């Protein structure tokens, strides 16, 4: 007898009914954490929930992997030294479309979903924009169903945790792995080995073919750890594969027995140090060596892994470039050009010309900087000592390349010198950007201005040689994390008017333009903004103990602390405004809360002085009773993705004030605008395109343009003239040098003052007057809430271009020639995966 309505029993691993989710949560607490509720910590409950969610994406993940290894599927290998992915739990709930059910199940289990989400330790695997961009791109690759693997390093200790002590930055070890990482799966069976040091030997085989053998001093093992990257409401779950270093032989039994206890584990220590920390200080020689070793290690591991995957379904590597598009995210992985040549020529015995054809058609290179010092160069002595065979390959690449240059530009020795991979102008260096350019079929900048400046300046000779190689892909950010997750109130308001299609097609935000004229909608918009400002005000009170006025204009600058980003120009405005308020207590300006966040590189002393400058000015302003809550200055310590999710939605004003021609693109500028902040900025990076999209009237522009900057620098720029000719500016500097912000110590900020008055490499003083005038316009505009709200709505409505989905589609169409592949889910049953036992 067959039941008409059979009872459906859900699998605890995949089911989504509330009771199934509650049972799975308890099972994971019991069987994985080994805890029962009475003794479980908040972290135990978080881990149990994370494993419950991971179970529900594994079916998609494994189906994606099965699809990607097929012969006819071209994949993207995204090589990046940084992946600042942020916490995974909430992002996965949103992308899987199960946030509501899981929240109900957790709540009915007597737990607080928000507390569990906030318990997650953020992976500190990046320093700033470069790593966060890579993370946004992984999100979009999965959402667009593009087969891809992100490759990087599993740093045991990530970017340092920042504390502020007496106004100064103090670096604390980032122990992000101390309580485990439930999202990763270790794959030791897919480990590879990487050579370092030693020497090379030449030999001829039995067929009279010439070969080179690398005899290394030591060998390090690379162990892959895989993290699933979900797409939004699709079945595709791509992989972030991070490599950890390990000794091939962790323990020398003979040395231990002979009493050499430290020597017995020496290889283990040396090998594991390789992936200990993100960006070690590379001032000392040992730091430079470690940086180079890190880069070569993860690139070699990754290329070996791609080759292994390729050979699963292909007899050889002849068509490797047809199945892999490998993107170099800046110069950190540029050694991959030489390493793939080594693997093809030395290991797989390809003839040089055939191997080079594969290499050239495989790689593409993204340039992220116009700062010459950021284009990596490695001393020949260090490079040759660590990677002798790779250096030989580079020499040969360079020799053949310069022969082509000589043919095209005969008798032009200066051009040969400028184009050479080897810089011989003094101490000899390997120029990694040159290696990347020569070995890539496309070179792109990350904003229209940046891409043009790359062609005009730092890579001009390569552009003249290969103009067709150069293109632009303007950066973008994912709206899933930076709107839906970060700003649910605004997202729900938008969806209530135009539906939720905008989450996957950001251009649909255009439909909001008509609502900018709707007074009721503008009021709802202000209410959503005010609520999130109150949230940030509460966080500020809890974190730094300062009460701020949530009705004030939230003026925010959060990003890496660097002179070219000009946080100290912002501070000069704060002091100017403070002086005006002190001299005229009835000054009619809206209250402002200035909020800063960002980390200075440990060895960057001027950046650390800038942080001290911000906090010192804040100490005075925040405690001045005459000023009250009309003016506050806040420095939020330990800026990261989680903090960004609190800050971007609360901003009224976004500070994008770098000197024109220095910021490659920026992505913070996009996140602010997507959340309704108005921008004050120079014509730099993606600011230009944001202004074009949102309209000149909805953007506060100031400062010199890039040609004006170059013209001024070509003349004899004397910053002190501005100090002498602008009374407001002179008053600001005189107050600083008097010791007013340094407890009477006139020397404390002398490094900043002297740098600005006698050098000013980023033209703060030249832009000061324009900046102050623009800030005055902002104060006037903020007094009209209806007009401000309309400008805010239009900023959001016109940000469709700046989705990372558009950026990735540009890469797919114009650089990678990669197609999306839809993943068909196969139902998980034992027989289907050949896991049945005795056919039962």
């Amino acid at each position: 007898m067959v039941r008409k309505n059979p009872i459906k029993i859900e699998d605890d691993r995949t089911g989504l009914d509330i009771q199934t989710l509650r049972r799975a949560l308890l099972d994971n607490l019991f069987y994985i954490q080994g805890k029962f509720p009475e003794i479980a910590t908040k972290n135990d409950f978080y881990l149990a929930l994370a494993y419950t969610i991971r179970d529900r994406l594994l079916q998609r993940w494994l189906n994606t992997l099965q699809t990607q290894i097929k012969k006819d599927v071209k994949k993207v290998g995204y090589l990046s030294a940084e992946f600042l992915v942020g916490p995974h739990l909430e992002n996965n709930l949103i992308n899987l479309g199960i946030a509501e059910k899981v929240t109900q199940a957790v709540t009915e289990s007597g737990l607080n979903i928000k507390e569990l989400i906030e318990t997650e330790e953020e992976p500190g695997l990046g320093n700033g924009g470069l790593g966060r961009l890579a993370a946004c791109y992984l999100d979009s690759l999965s959402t667009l169903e593009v087969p891809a693997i992100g490759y990087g390093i599993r740093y045991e200790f990530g970017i340092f945790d920042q504390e502020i002590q007496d106004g100064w930055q103090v670096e604390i070890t980032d122990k992000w792995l101390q309580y485990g990482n439930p999202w990763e799966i270790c794959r030791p069976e897919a480990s590879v080995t990487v050579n370092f040091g030693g020497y090379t030997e030449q030999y001829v085989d039995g067929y009279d073919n010439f070969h080179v053998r690398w005899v290394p001093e030591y060998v390090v093992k690379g162990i892959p750890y895989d993290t699933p990257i979900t797409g939004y409401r699709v079945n595709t779950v791509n992989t972030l594969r991070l490599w950890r270093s390990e000794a091939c032989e962790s323990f020398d039994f003979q040395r231990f027995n002979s009493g050499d206890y430290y020597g017995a584990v020496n290889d283990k220590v040396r090998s594991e140090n390789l992936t200990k920390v993100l960006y070690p200080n590379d001032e000392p020689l040992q730091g430079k060596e470690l940086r180079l070793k890190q880069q070569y290690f993860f690139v070699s591991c990754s290329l070996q892994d791609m080759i292994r995957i390729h050979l699963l379904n292909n007899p050889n590597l002849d068509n490797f470039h047809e199945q892999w598009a490998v993107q170099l995210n800046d110069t950190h992985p540029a050694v991959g050009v030489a390493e793939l040549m080594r693997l093809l020529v030395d290991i797989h015995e390809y003839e040089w010309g055939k191997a080079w054809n594969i290499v050239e058609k495989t790689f593409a290179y993204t340039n992220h900087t116009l700062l010459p010092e950021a284009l990596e160069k490695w001393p020949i002595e260090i490079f040759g000592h660590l990677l002798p065979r790779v250096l030989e390959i580079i020499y040969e690449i360079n020799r053949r390349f310069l022969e082509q240059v000589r043919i095209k530009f005969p008798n032009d020795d200066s051009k040969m010198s400028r184009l050479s991979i080897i810089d011989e102008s003094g101490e000899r260096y390997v120029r990694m950007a040159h290696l990347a350019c020569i070995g890539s079929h496309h070179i792109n900048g990350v904003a229209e201005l940046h891409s043009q400046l790359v062609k005009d300046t730092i890579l001009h000779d390569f552009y003249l040689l290969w103009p067709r190689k150069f293109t632009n892909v303007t950066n973008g950010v994912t709206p899933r994390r930076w709107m839906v997750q970060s700003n649910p109130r605004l997202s729900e308001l938008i969806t209530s008017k135009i539906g939720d299609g905008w989450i996957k097609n950001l251009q649909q935000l255009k439909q909001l333009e008509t609502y900018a004229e709707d007074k009721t909608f503008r009021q709802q918009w202000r209410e959503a903004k005010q609520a999130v400002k109150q949230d940030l005000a509460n966080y500020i009170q809890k974190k730094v103990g300062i009460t701020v006025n949530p009705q004030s204009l939230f003026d925010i600058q959060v990003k890496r602390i660097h002179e070219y980003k000009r946080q100290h120009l912002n501070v000069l405005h704060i002091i100017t405004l403070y002086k005006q308020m002190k001299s005229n207590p009835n000054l009619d300006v809206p209250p402002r809360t200035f909020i800063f966040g960002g980390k200075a590189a440990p060895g960057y002393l001027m950046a650390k002085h800038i942080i001290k400058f911000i906090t010192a000015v804040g100490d005075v302003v925040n405690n001045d009773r005459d000023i009250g809550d009309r003016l506050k200055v806040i420095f939020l310590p330990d800026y990261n993705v989680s903090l960004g999710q609190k800050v971007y939605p609360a901003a009224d004003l976004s500070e994008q004030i770098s000197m024109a021609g220095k910021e490659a693109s920026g992505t913070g500028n996009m996140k602010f605008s997507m959340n309704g902040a108005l921008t004050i900025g120079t014509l730099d990076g993606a600011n230009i395109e944001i202004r074009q999209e949102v309209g000149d009237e909805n953007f506060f522009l100031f400062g010199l343009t890039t040609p004006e900057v170059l013209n001024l620098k070509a003349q004899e720029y004397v910053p002190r003239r501005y100090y002498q000719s602008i009374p407001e500016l002179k008053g600001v500097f005189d107050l600083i040098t008097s010791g007013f912000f340094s407890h009477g110590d006139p020397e404390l900020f002398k490094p900043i003052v002297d740098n600005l008055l006698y050098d000013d490499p980023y033209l703060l003083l030249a832009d000061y007057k324009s900046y102050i005038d623009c800030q005055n316009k902002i104060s006037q505009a903020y007094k009209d809430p209806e007009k401000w709200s309309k400008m805010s709505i239009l900023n959001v409505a016109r940000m469709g271009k700046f989705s990372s989905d558009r950026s990735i589609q540009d890469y797919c169409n114009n650089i990678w020639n990669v197609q999306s592949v839809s993943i068909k889910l196969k139902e998980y049953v034992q027989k289907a995966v050949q896991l049945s036992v005795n056919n039962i």
Side-chain angles (χ1 to χ4, degrees), residues 741-800:
F741 297 106
S742 50
H743 303 291
D745 180 2
E747 298 295 312
L748 181 60
F749 297 121
K750 196 171 188 298
I752 293 176
V753 170
D754 286 354
N755 177 269
L756 293 179
L757 290 181
Y758 301 106
D759 187 12
D760 193 16
Y762 302 107
L763 307 186
L764 273 76
L765 304 197
D767 271 349
Y768 169 82
K769 185 69 167 64
S770 175
Y771 182 56
I772 298 300
D773 291 344
C774 191
Q775 289 284 9
N776 291 335
K777 291 177 187 174
I778 289 165
S779 290
Q780 293 306 310
Y782 194 71
K783 291 179 185 178
D784 184 347
E786 293 294 344
K787 181 182 177 184
W788 188 277
S789 298
K790 180 180 176 180
M791 294 168 72
S792 174
I793 293 166
L794 291 175
N795 262 263
V796 175
R798 296 169 179 175
M799 286 301 290

Side-chain angles (χ1 to χ4, degrees), residues 287-553:
K288 284 186 172 64
E289 289 189 356
L290 184 52
R291 283 282 289 273
L292 179 57
K293 285 166 69 175
Q294 283 184 337
Q295 292 177 11
Y296 179 69
F297 167 76
F298 99 83
V299 167
S300 180
C301 287
S302 303
L303 289 171
Q304 290 182 64
D305 192 58
M306 291 180 221
I307 288 172
R308 178 188 62 79
I309 292 170
H310 182 83
L311 293 176
L312 289 175
N313 285 307
N314 292 274
N316 54 50
L317 298 172
D318 290 2
N319 63 334
F320 181 80
H321 56 284
E322 295 172 4
Q323 294 199 3
W324 283 98
V326 181
Q327 191 69 29
L328 305 173
N329 192 29
D330 216 355
T331 52
H332 309 124
V335 70
V337 171
E339 174 61 5
L340 183 54
M341 278 300 290
R342 186 189 72 82
L343 291 168
L344 290 171
V345 172
D346 291 0
I347 307 302
H348 296 276
E349 299 186 346
Y350 273 74
E351 178 270 328
W352 183 279
K354 192 171 183 179
W356 184 249
N357 180 60
I358 294 171
V359 168
E360 262 193 314
K361 291 179 178 177
T362 296
F363 287 105
Y365 162 52
T366 300
N367 174 280
H368 281 279
T369 184
L370 293 166
L371 302 175
E373 64 271 20
L375 292 178
E376 288 185 307
K377 299 193 305 182
W378 296 109
I380 290 287
E381 187 177 349
I382 292 175
F383 205 105
H385 170 69
L386 289 176
L387 308 172
R389 178 54 182 152
V390 181
L391 183 59
E392 289 179 356
I393 297 276
I394 289 173
Y395 281 149
E396 183 61 14
I397 292 171
N398 198 43
R399 183 186 69 79
R400 291 171 183 246
F401 165 65
L402 291 180
E403 283 181 0
Q404 297 176 31
V405 176
R406 188 177 289 108
I407 292 169
K408 190 162 186 176
F409 302 101
N411 304 316
D412 194 339
D413 290 342
S414 65
K415 185 176 287 291
M416 295 270 288
S417 176
R418 293 196 305 272
L419 283 167
S420 174
I421 300 173
I422 310 302
D423 180 353
E424 305 196 58
S425 57
E427 182 185 358
R428 298 171 74 225
Y429 289 92
V430 180
R431 296 161 161 160
M432 302 310 288
H434 289 216
L435 179 62
C437 289
I438 293 164
S440 297
H441 56 82
H442 277 86
I443 301 158
N444 72 280
V446 290
E448 288 175 2
L449 173 66
H450 171 241
S451 294
Q452 188 59 49
L453 290 173
V454 164
K455 293 187 288 189
D456 292 345
T457 58
I458 54 173
L459 298 179
H460 181 62
D461 287 301
F462 286 102
Y463 173 66
L464 294 178
L465 189 64
W466 296 310
R468 291 185 180 179
K469 271 195 182 188
F470 286 77
T471 189
N472 173 64
V473 180
T474 297
N475 284 346
V477 301
T478 168
R480 271 75 63 181
R481 184 176 292 272
W482 297 114
M483 292 183 74
V484 179
Q485 183 176 339
S486 304
N487 203 346
R489 293 183 187 90
L490 191 68
S491 298
E492 288 165 12
L493 177 60
I494 293 170
T495 297
S496 72
K497 299 299 181 184
I498 66 171
D500 65 0
W502 62 273
I503 299 172
K504 283 189 74 170
N505 179 5
L506 207 62
Q507 290 288 1
Q508 290 187 18
L509 289 176
K510 277 277 186 190
Q511 298 170 51
L512 282 177
E513 287 199 28
T514 57
Y515 292 96
E517 304 297 335
D518 183 332
K519 190 170 184 179
T520 301
F521 183 73
R522 290 200 298 266
Q523 178 61 32
Q524 293 171 324
W525 191 268
R526 285 195 295 276
E527 288 170 0
K529 173 68 76 172
Q530 197 55 48
V532 79
K533 287 174 70 176
Q534 184 64 61
D535 288 346
L536 183 58
N538 295 342
Y539 177 82
I540 290 170
Q541 176 65 52
K542 181 179 177 182
K543 188 71 177 177
V544 297
I546 299 173
T547 302
V548 302
N549 176 6
Q551 301 293 330
S552 64
L553 190 164

Side-chain angles (χ1 to χ4, degrees), residues 12-16 21 24 52-58 60:
D12 279 3
R13 296 282 190 185
T14 59
L16 290 171
L21 286 166
T52 301
I53 305 310
R54 195 183 80 175
D55 286 345
R56 278 145 186 81
L57 60 79
L58 268 166
R60 290 176 171 84

Side-chain angles (χ1 to χ4, degrees), residues 13-16 52-68 92-98 142 145 228-239 821-828:
R13 296 282 190 185
T14 59
L16 290 171
T52 301
I53 305 310
R54 195 183 80 175
D55 286 345
R56 278 145 186 81
L57 60 79
L58 268 166
Q59 185 186 16
R60 290 176 171 84
W61 194 11
L62 294 176
N63 275 274
T64 301
L65 291 171
Q66 279 184 311
T67 301
Q68 289 181 356
N92 284 331
L93 292 177
I94 290 169
N95 283 357
L96 292 170
I98 60 176
S142 291
E145 301 180 286
I229 305 296
T230 53
Y232 180 75
R233 306 293 173 90
V234 293
N235 293 328
T236 298
V237 177
N238 282 323
T239 300
V821 179
S822 294
I823 304 300
K824 305 290 189 290
L825 288 186
K826 301 171 188 172
E827 189 178 353
Y828 171 75

